[in-house]
Amino acid sequence: MTKLLEAYRRKIDSFEVVDIADPREIQRLRERQDVDARVDAHWAWNYGTEVEELRNLYEKGKRGQWDAEADIDWALPAGPDAWMLRPEASMLAQIAKLTGRDEATQKAAAFDEVAYTSSQLLHGEQAALQICGQLTNACERMDEKWYAASQVIDEARHVEVLSKFLQRKAGEIHPIGATLKFLLDVLLESEGVQKKTLGMQTLFEGMAVGIMDMLRGESQNALFSEILRRVEQDEARHAAFGVLMMRRIVGEASEAERASMEDWAFSILETLNANQQLDMLHYFAPKYGFEPEEVAKLMLGLPEFGAINSRPFMHTVIPNLRKLGLITARSEEKWRDVGMLVESAPGVKGMPASA
Ligand SMILES: [Fe+2]
Ligand SMILES: [Fe+2]
């Protein structure tokens, strides 16, 4: 099976990274705003409940609505003069410290990292908004359409809350990383309910929850914590929707289809993992004066690399893929080889019990 972004792969020591460093290529990916996303609309004539759990999730979604303007205390401070994260949790702050920068610079670096990561989450939320809109058309059953529609408004609210946080507190939204843009385009362009659900609901929602939960655990800022808490509450429902949909999809799939989903899931997340934050490192290297290559080398060489690296993967997405039968003995070793699947990783959680 060919790997994604083959042309941008190279080795740092024994690890194969994806590194899109050419500014023209980054620009080309960002400027590609029109994506050929073919969707089949499907009528459903049974307006009754076919899947009780989905209808319950829809009801839960209605009750769980909140207002990103009114329910958030926007007067709370957030800025580069106070630690946004625990210092040890910020890669950029650690780099600033290692290169002898003062504490003010380290704090500002942690703030930059929060703003950059929140910007990537924001762009991911926009993709979720669009793909979930596609699902309202393509889903076969009325329960699925109702639920997907309720998720559309959740995703719009996530785009709202993150963009307001960035505009109001950071004064800017950082552009999308090239690797993320490439992968989100793959999801937008993917054909059929099967791939769209697996790609967005299982892979990216699962990753987002893992990242948000880690950030919330390290957050030192009340506003940021509250935004993450509220978004995560909605994302837990979305993950449950993904699991319910995928259980049926995998259950009805042939062995060949199941194997192809297993390979596809790996190829998407392996590519994300292969970037090893190089997109962010290139972006901030001029400002903080470091070599992205050296930082990546340092990270990859840490004895605890696997444990650190696997945390966002082991949080939700890998346990869910395993339970769905989309990580089996066929592929397990590959996930392990690239430091995504590590049994001892802290904070390991399974599929939402309510699903
Ligand atoms: Fe979201
Ligand atoms: Fe979501």
Side-chain angles (χ1 to χ4, degrees), residues 124-125 128 151 154-156 158-159 205 208 212 231 234-235 238:
E125 297 289 0
Q151 187 177 327
D154 292 348
E155 304 299 6
H158 299 167
V159 172
E205 292 271 352
M212 286 182 200
V231 173
D234 295 342
E235 300 299 358
H238 305 173

Side-chain angles (χ1 to χ4, degrees), residues 225-260:
S225 297
E226 176 61 5
I227 289 173
L228 290 170
R229 186 187 68 80
R230 285 189 175 270
V231 173
E232 269 184 67
Q233 249 172 17
D234 295 342
E235 300 299 358
R237 288 194 303 275
H238 305 173
F241 175 57
V243 167
L244 281 174
M245 290 279 288
M246 284 310 298
R247 262 192 209 145
R248 183 167 72 81
I249 288 170
V250 176
E252 291 170 0
S254 67
E255 178 47 31
E257 283 170 330
R258 196 208 52 73
S260 123

